[in-house]
Amino acid sequence: MPRTSAAEISALIKERIKNYQKELKLEETGVVVEVGDGIAQIYGLENCLAAELLEFPHDITGLALNLAEDSVGAVIFGEDEQIKEGDTVKRTGRVLETRVGEELLGRVVSPLGEPKDGRGPIKTTKIRPVEFKAPGIIKRQPVDTPVQTGLKAIDAMTPIGRGQRELIIGDRQTGKTAIAIDTIINQKFTHTPEAAKLGYRPLYCIYVAIGQKSSTVAKTVETLRKYGAMDYTIVVSADASEPAPLQWLAPYAGCAMGEYFMFAGKDALVIYDDLSKHAIAYRELALLLRRPPGREAYPGDIFYSHSRLLERAARMNKDNGGGSLTALPVIETKAGDVTAYIPTNVISITDGQIFLESGLFNAGIRPAMNAGISVSRVGGAAQIKAMSRVAGRLKLDIAQYNDLKAFAEFSSELDEVSRAQLERGKRVQEILKQPQFEPMPVEEQVVVIFAATNGFVDDLAVERLHDFERGYLDFMRSRKANILATLREKKVMDKETDESLRAAIKEFKEMFA
């Protein structure tokens, strides 16, 4: 993935502010008294505003972050070798902005909205401030429309609604990014004419890669392109080789790009991968700016920096366009410790979490979601009614299985009812396993979960369940497509559909046996 040079970054910002500076006729200047590690201390600039862009010599730009009594602390976008003590710094009168719009779809961009994929310039004149006040409660409406991830375990037990903030949390290499990528791939259906007829609104996706290796970002982009998901996706990349200010800026820029769609009355999904690295980048900036360190050396406003980002996710009411912005922040834990500082902060900001466990992942359960700790505070409001009906029994079966599994390890004998519950739980957990990059339409999820929770697979060996599932879905698509169509269109499990589905499962089981 090509890296944006310091000169390119500064030239782009310089071009944007040149006209504004002429109009405002700003003459206020300051003098650099100290520079190093990407930070400049400036004497003067008495009327400088927080988060205002500053103009350094040699077409280099910076951002005012610390406003002291007689000095300003600024971060420098790019390399600082050309800046020396005594250099003059000018105000611009502008806050930092990024490019937005439909023209960015399908592209890999920097936090400033400039291309990083070598596919030519982006022709858009639309810009938005990277920092923006979250919509007030009066402008919002309750979350009641699902974001289908295509993953059975998540859509059934921890549903995500449009306008929600759902945390994806877990140790390294437990499948956090995989869930995010599958969710993006699954939105392809929402951009089809069939989805429009059924009342589904298109969901535009923004994937923000913070502090990752450039090769990892390139691999993610290639995967999205392979499955046709880049057509409705923007990838904002601030990889590990970028300066800390750009890594700190990336999620706010991605949020601004999502807000463009929300305020245009459309639906957007933004994924921050991940906010642990964002917190580290912000800690680096804060320490270099000599802000007093707090717990674990993080700055005192680290909670506020994440809350003001995630609070911008919302579902607007009809009077304000009816658009939505859904946020899926990712947090990396150490040894599964969700009580650590940054995980605790983000858990308290979000509307639920999907907790991924290393033990489950290593046991071959994918997604490795711990059903006990994972929760969605929106619940059934973010599910179609057919899924709500079958999912309640699913949660009960999983909970009973987890309780009995621990008990059975210390007991040689179980009564018949407990043994039946244990066997049912094994099969339900097995049927929830799902390969990566194979998201499933919600109506197919419903018929699979219905078969598992209503005892139709209790007499099958666990190792045969995936063969059963594949054959069952092929059978439903080819011979019972009317049932799937009914669930897709009506989104409810009425008595007639229930009876038809039971008969279809029995018919297939005879063939499968």
Side-chain angles (χ1 to χ4, degrees), residues 427-428 431 451-461 465 468 509:
R427 284 152 181 79
V428 168
I431 211 82
T453 56
N454 284 278
F456 288 103
V457 298
D458 287 0
D459 57 343
L460 296 176
L465 283 178
F468 171 85
K509 278 196 73 176

Side-chain angles (χ1 to χ4, degrees), residues 166-178 180 206-213 216-217 220 236-240 244 246-252 270-282 298 302 305-306 309-310 328-334 342-343 346:
E166 182 80 1
L167 173 63
I168 303 172
I169 186 169
D171 286 3
R172 286 185 73 251
Q173 301 296 320
T174 51
K176 301 186 296 297
T177 300
I206 298 98
Y207 177 76
V208 185
I210 308 164
Q212 299 182 25
K213 291 188 293 185
T216 304
V217 179
T220 299
V236 181
S237 173
D239 57 53
L246 282 180
Q247 293 185 40
W248 165 72
L249 201 61
Y252 299 104
V270 60
I271 295 161
Y272 307 112
D273 193 6
D274 62 52
L275 290 187
S276 297
K277 292 186 178 71
H278 176 254
I280 291 169
Y282 188 45
Y298 287 104
I302 187 66
S305 70
H306 284 160
L309 169 71
L310 295 171
L328 294 183
V330 178
I331 286 288
E332 182 183 306
T333 55
K334 307 287 185 185
I342 300 301
V346 183

Side-chain angles (χ1 to χ4, degrees), residues 343-361:
T344 306
N345 280 352
V346 183
I347 285 173
S348 65
I349 298 165
T350 50
D351 306 312
Q353 67 273 345
I354 297 165
F355 179 62
L356 305 179
E357 266 191 359
S358 298
L360 295 175
F361 186 85

Side-chain angles (χ1 to χ4, degrees), residues 29 82 108 111 193 207 210 252 267 323 335 341 388 392 428 435 445 459 493:
T29 60
Q82 297 181 355
V108 183
Y207 177 76
I210 308 164
Y252 299 104
D267 293 337
Y341 185 38
S388 295
V428 168
Q445 295 182 42
D459 57 343
M493 178 76 74

Side-chain angles (χ1 to χ4, degrees), residues 130-147:
V130 295
E131 293 268 17
F132 196 75
K133 187 178 179 181
I137 193 71
I138 303 300
K139 296 181 180 179
R140 302 181 183 224
Q141 66 171 317
V143 174
D144 60 5
T145 306
V147 172

Side-chain angles (χ1 to χ4, degrees), residues 59-241:
D59 290 335
I60 295 174
T61 52
L63 189 70
L65 285 185
N66 268 18
L67 302 181
E69 189 173 343
D70 58 355
S71 66
V72 172
V75 296
I76 300 166
F77 292 114
E79 307 297 336
D80 58 9
E81 283 81 0
Q82 297 181 355
I83 301 173
K84 298 179 176 60
E85 293 179 17
D87 282 348
T88 301
V89 184
K90 297 178 183 177
R91 287 183 60 199
T92 65
R94 300 296 298 175
V95 295
L96 191 58
E97 296 163 329
T98 187
R99 302 172 81 179
V100 298
E102 289 85 352
E103 295 84 355
L104 274 67
L105 294 170
R107 304 298 299 271
V108 183
V109 299
S110 72
L112 299 171
E114 300 301 329
K116 294 185 69 176
D117 51 10
R119 303 179 69 199
I122 298 172
K123 297 177 182 177
T124 180
T125 57
K126 306 182 194 79
I127 55 174
R128 277 191 65 83
V130 295
E131 293 268 17
F132 196 75
K133 187 178 179 181
I137 193 71
I138 303 300
K139 296 181 180 179
R140 302 181 183 224
Q141 66 171 317
V143 174
D144 60 5
T145 306
V147 172
Q148 303 290 357
T149 66
L151 300 171
K152 290 171 287 189
I154 293 173
D155 288 345
M157 293 189 287
T158 57
I160 302 169
R162 298 194 181 193
Q164 190 179 346
R165 302 155 301 174
E166 182 80 1
L167 173 63
I168 303 172
I169 186 169
D171 286 3
R172 286 185 73 251
Q173 301 296 320
T174 51
K176 301 186 296 297
T177 300
I179 288 176
I181 299 305
D182 279 352
T183 302
I184 294 175
I185 292 171
N186 196 52
Q187 304 318 311
K188 188 174 182 179
F189 171 72
T190 68
H191 294 265
T192 61
E194 183 188 358
K197 290 178 184 176
L198 296 173
Y200 289 97
R201 286 157 51 106
L203 189 64
Y204 298 93
C205 303
I206 298 98
Y207 177 76
V208 185
I210 308 164
Q212 299 182 25
K213 291 188 293 185
S214 56
S215 59
T216 304
V217 179
K219 188 176 178 182
T220 299
V221 172
E222 186 57 37
T223 300
L224 292 173
R225 216 178 290 285
K226 176 183 175 184
Y227 290 95
M230 278 301 286
D231 295 340
Y232 51 85
T233 302
I234 303 169
V235 175
V236 181
S237 173
D239 57 53
S241 63

Side-chain angles (χ1 to χ4, degrees), residues 47 58 102 116 119 121 137 182 190 209 234 256 275 281-282 287 290 313 352 361 363 399 418 472 474 476 480 483 508:
N47 298 310
H58 310 291
E102 289 85 352
K116 294 185 69 176
R119 303 179 69 199
I137 193 71
D182 279 352
T190 68
I234 303 169
L275 290 187
Y282 188 45
L287 291 174
R290 297 177 184 171
F361 186 85
S418 298
Y472 171 47
D474 287 340
M476 294 298 294
K480 303 293 180 181
I483 297 177
F508 172 73

